[in-house]
Amino acid sequence: MEAGKKKQGVQIAIFIITFVVAFFGTKWAMSQFKSSHSELKNAAVELNKMCPKMIDAATRIDSAVALDNTLQYHYTLVAIDKAVTTIPLEEASQFCQKNAQTNLDSNPSMKFYRDNKVSLEYHYRDKNGKPLFQFAIQTLKK
């Protein structure tokens, strides 16, 4: 009889320990997520204060939006009209994606995004606001 009570006591202790670890672990993880999301929201707010802004002769950043663990950028290619362009958009998308991934992976100013596994989405439109292409990148797993 005493062995049964001892076993029950051990099970209760394990349950309590598991519950406490899960509760505080989840609470910590959520605080990390909220902190990360707060940083993303702040980054979007600060970027939007400067928008619209020409990045180069052909590219304008129009806005940024923080969504969960994703920062979404909206660009316009100011010299492109989707209806008449002869530029291969798939190649342009691949070129932009490659450059964005290299920037995320190697630029010291992108450390926060790498450390917090933030996804970055890029949406490109033509000079008339018509969608051209979009892509998303993430920190490469090491």
Side-chain angles (χ1 to χ4, degrees), residues 8 19 26 30 46 76 88 101-102 108 117 135 142:
Q8 186 179 17
F19 175 78
T26 302
M30 288 306 293
E46 290 304 311
T76 297
Q101 187 70 58
T102 299
K117 307 237 183 311
F135 59 86
K142 296 178 180 179

PDB file of all heavy atoms in Angstrom, residues 8 19 26 30 46 76 88 101-102 108 117 135 142:
ATOM      1  N   GLN A   8       2.329   7.227  -6.514  1.00  0.00           N
ATOM      2  CA  GLN A   8       1.384   8.299  -6.820  1.00  0.00           C
ATOM      3  C   GLN A   8       2.003   9.659  -6.503  1.00  0.00           C
ATOM      4  O   GLN A   8       1.851  10.615  -7.262  1.00  0.00           O
ATOM      5  CB  GLN A   8       0.085   8.103  -6.035  1.00  0.00           C
ATOM      6  CG  GLN A   8      -0.996   9.097  -6.397  1.00  0.00           C
ATOM      7  CD  GLN A   8      -2.280   8.850  -5.619  1.00  0.00           C
ATOM      8  OE1 GLN A   8      -2.295   8.157  -4.594  1.00  0.00           O
ATOM      9  NE2 GLN A   8      -3.370   9.421  -6.095  1.00  0.00           N
ATOM     10  N   PHE A  19       4.491  20.647 -15.480  1.00  0.00           N
ATOM     11  CA  PHE A  19       3.592  21.776 -15.685  1.00  0.00           C
ATOM     12  C   PHE A  19       4.326  23.101 -15.489  1.00  0.00           C
ATOM     13  O   PHE A  19       4.200  24.017 -16.308  1.00  0.00           O
ATOM     14  CB  PHE A  19       2.393  21.696 -14.729  1.00  0.00           C
ATOM     15  CG  PHE A  19       1.490  22.885 -14.818  1.00  0.00           C
ATOM     16  CD1 PHE A  19       0.586  22.999 -15.860  1.00  0.00           C
ATOM     17  CD2 PHE A  19       1.558  23.916 -13.891  1.00  0.00           C
ATOM     18  CE1 PHE A  19      -0.241  24.108 -15.969  1.00  0.00           C
ATOM     19  CE2 PHE A  19       0.738  25.027 -13.986  1.00  0.00           C
ATOM     20  CZ  PHE A  19      -0.164  25.118 -15.033  1.00  0.00           C
ATOM     21  N   THR A  26       6.853  28.304 -21.858  1.00  0.00           N
ATOM     22  CA  THR A  26       5.947  28.930 -22.825  1.00  0.00           C
ATOM     23  C   THR A  26       5.888  30.432 -22.605  1.00  0.00           C
ATOM     24  O   THR A  26       5.917  31.209 -23.560  1.00  0.00           O
ATOM     25  CB  THR A  26       4.534  28.318 -22.712  1.00  0.00           C
ATOM     26  OG1 THR A  26       4.628  26.929 -22.940  1.00  0.00           O
ATOM     27  CG2 THR A  26       3.573  28.948 -23.689  1.00  0.00           C
ATOM     28  N   MET A  30       6.980  33.112 -25.369  1.00  0.00           N
ATOM     29  CA  MET A  30       6.051  34.143 -25.828  1.00  0.00           C
ATOM     30  C   MET A  30       6.637  35.540 -25.619  1.00  0.00           C
ATOM     31  O   MET A  30       6.463  36.422 -26.456  1.00  0.00           O
ATOM     32  CB  MET A  30       4.698  34.021 -25.117  1.00  0.00           C
ATOM     33  CG  MET A  30       3.889  32.822 -25.576  1.00  0.00           C
ATOM     34  SD  MET A  30       3.641  32.761 -27.359  1.00  0.00           S
ATOM     35  CE  MET A  30       2.612  34.177 -27.600  1.00  0.00           C
ATOM     36  N   GLU A  46       9.649  52.847 -38.404  1.00  0.00           N
ATOM     37  CA  GLU A  46      10.772  53.731 -38.738  1.00  0.00           C
ATOM     38  C   GLU A  46      11.004  53.786 -40.247  1.00  0.00           C
ATOM     39  O   GLU A  46      11.249  54.856 -40.800  1.00  0.00           O
ATOM     40  CB  GLU A  46      12.048  53.284 -38.017  1.00  0.00           C
ATOM     41  CG  GLU A  46      12.000  53.515 -36.522  1.00  0.00           C
ATOM     42  CD  GLU A  46      11.718  54.969 -36.151  1.00  0.00           C
ATOM     43  OE1 GLU A  46      12.375  55.879 -36.697  1.00  0.00           O
ATOM     44  OE2 GLU A  46      10.839  55.200 -35.300  1.00  0.00           O
ATOM     45  N   THR A  76       8.346  49.533 -55.707  1.00  0.00           N
ATOM     46  CA  THR A  76       7.875  49.837 -57.062  1.00  0.00           C
ATOM     47  C   THR A  76       9.091  49.960 -57.970  1.00  0.00           C
ATOM     48  O   THR A  76      10.064  50.622 -57.609  1.00  0.00           O
ATOM     49  CB  THR A  76       7.085  51.161 -57.094  1.00  0.00           C
ATOM     50  OG1 THR A  76       5.925  51.017 -56.273  1.00  0.00           O
ATOM     51  CG2 THR A  76       6.650  51.523 -58.511  1.00  0.00           C
ATOM     52  N   PRO A  88      12.496  39.872 -68.667  1.00  0.00           N
ATOM     53  CA  PRO A  88      11.999  38.590 -68.145  1.00  0.00           C
ATOM     54  C   PRO A  88      11.826  38.683 -66.624  1.00  0.00           C
ATOM     55  O   PRO A  88      12.798  38.734 -65.873  1.00  0.00           O
ATOM     56  CB  PRO A  88      13.085  37.583 -68.525  1.00  0.00           C
ATOM     57  CG  PRO A  88      14.269  38.363 -68.963  1.00  0.00           C
ATOM     58  CD  PRO A  88      13.836  39.775 -69.190  1.00  0.00           C
ATOM     59  N   GLN A 101      18.851  37.462 -50.252  1.00  0.00           N
ATOM     60  CA  GLN A 101      19.315  36.356 -49.403  1.00  0.00           C
ATOM     61  C   GLN A 101      20.766  36.577 -48.975  1.00  0.00           C
ATOM     62  O   GLN A 101      21.121  36.385 -47.802  1.00  0.00           O
ATOM     63  CB  GLN A 101      19.193  35.016 -50.136  1.00  0.00           C
ATOM     64  CG  GLN A 101      19.495  33.806 -49.261  1.00  0.00           C
ATOM     65  CD  GLN A 101      18.427  33.565 -48.220  1.00  0.00           C
ATOM     66  OE1 GLN A 101      17.255  33.388 -48.544  1.00  0.00           O
ATOM     67  NE2 GLN A 101      18.808  33.540 -46.949  1.00  0.00           N
ATOM     68  N   THR A 102      21.604  37.018 -49.912  1.00  0.00           N
ATOM     69  CA  THR A 102      23.004  37.313 -49.582  1.00  0.00           C
ATOM     70  C   THR A 102      23.081  38.410 -48.524  1.00  0.00           C
ATOM     71  O   THR A 102      23.861  38.319 -47.562  1.00  0.00           O
ATOM     72  CB  THR A 102      23.781  37.725 -50.846  1.00  0.00           C
ATOM     73  OG1 THR A 102      23.751  36.633 -51.767  1.00  0.00           O
ATOM     74  CG2 THR A 102      25.213  38.088 -50.533  1.00  0.00           C
ATOM     75  N   PRO A 108      26.047  42.620 -41.456  1.00  0.00           N
ATOM     76  CA  PRO A 108      26.009  42.722 -39.991  1.00  0.00           C
ATOM     77  C   PRO A 108      24.740  43.403 -39.464  1.00  0.00           C
ATOM     78  O   PRO A 108      24.268  43.079 -38.373  1.00  0.00           O
ATOM     79  CB  PRO A 108      27.249  43.552 -39.649  1.00  0.00           C
ATOM     80  CG  PRO A 108      28.165  43.368 -40.804  1.00  0.00           C
ATOM     81  CD  PRO A 108      27.276  43.197 -42.013  1.00  0.00           C
ATOM     82  N   LYS A 117      15.267  34.462 -36.563  1.00  0.00           N
ATOM     83  CA  LYS A 117      14.677  33.670 -37.657  1.00  0.00           C
ATOM     84  C   LYS A 117      13.481  34.389 -38.294  1.00  0.00           C
ATOM     85  O   LYS A 117      12.428  33.815 -38.531  1.00  0.00           O
ATOM     86  CB  LYS A 117      14.273  32.293 -37.160  1.00  0.00           C
ATOM     87  CG  LYS A 117      15.400  31.556 -36.451  1.00  0.00           C
ATOM     88  CD  LYS A 117      15.710  30.250 -37.061  1.00  0.00           C
ATOM     89  CE  LYS A 117      16.763  29.448 -36.362  1.00  0.00           C
ATOM     90  NZ  LYS A 117      17.991  30.075 -36.019  1.00  0.00           N
ATOM     91  N   PHE A 135       8.578  37.409 -53.447  1.00  0.00           N
ATOM     92  CA  PHE A 135       9.285  36.260 -52.927  1.00  0.00           C
ATOM     93  C   PHE A 135       9.525  36.463 -51.442  1.00  0.00           C
ATOM     94  O   PHE A 135       9.369  37.566 -50.913  1.00  0.00           O
ATOM     95  CB  PHE A 135      10.615  36.034 -53.674  1.00  0.00           C
ATOM     96  CG  PHE A 135      11.555  37.193 -53.612  1.00  0.00           C
ATOM     97  CD1 PHE A 135      12.448  37.354 -52.547  1.00  0.00           C
ATOM     98  CD2 PHE A 135      11.570  38.152 -54.623  1.00  0.00           C
ATOM     99  CE1 PHE A 135      13.309  38.431 -52.499  1.00  0.00           C
ATOM    100  CE2 PHE A 135      12.444  39.223 -54.578  1.00  0.00           C
ATOM    101  CZ  PHE A 135      13.316  39.371 -53.506  1.00  0.00           C
ATOM    102  N   LYS A 142      21.907  26.556 -40.237  1.00  0.00           N
ATOM    103  CA  LYS A 142      23.324  26.222 -40.152  1.00  0.00           C
ATOM    104  C   LYS A 142      23.517  24.903 -39.459  1.00  0.00           C
ATOM    105  O   LYS A 142      22.777  24.441 -38.708  1.00  0.00           O
ATOM    106  CB  LYS A 142      24.070  27.321 -39.405  1.00  0.00           C
ATOM    107  CG  LYS A 142      24.018  28.625 -40.162  1.00  0.00           C
ATOM    108  CD  LYS A 142      24.711  29.708 -39.398  1.00  0.00           C
ATOM    109  CE  LYS A 142      24.624  31.001 -40.190  1.00  0.00           C
ATOM    110  NZ  LYS A 142      25.226  32.112 -39.553  1.00  0.00           N
TER     111      LYS A 142
END
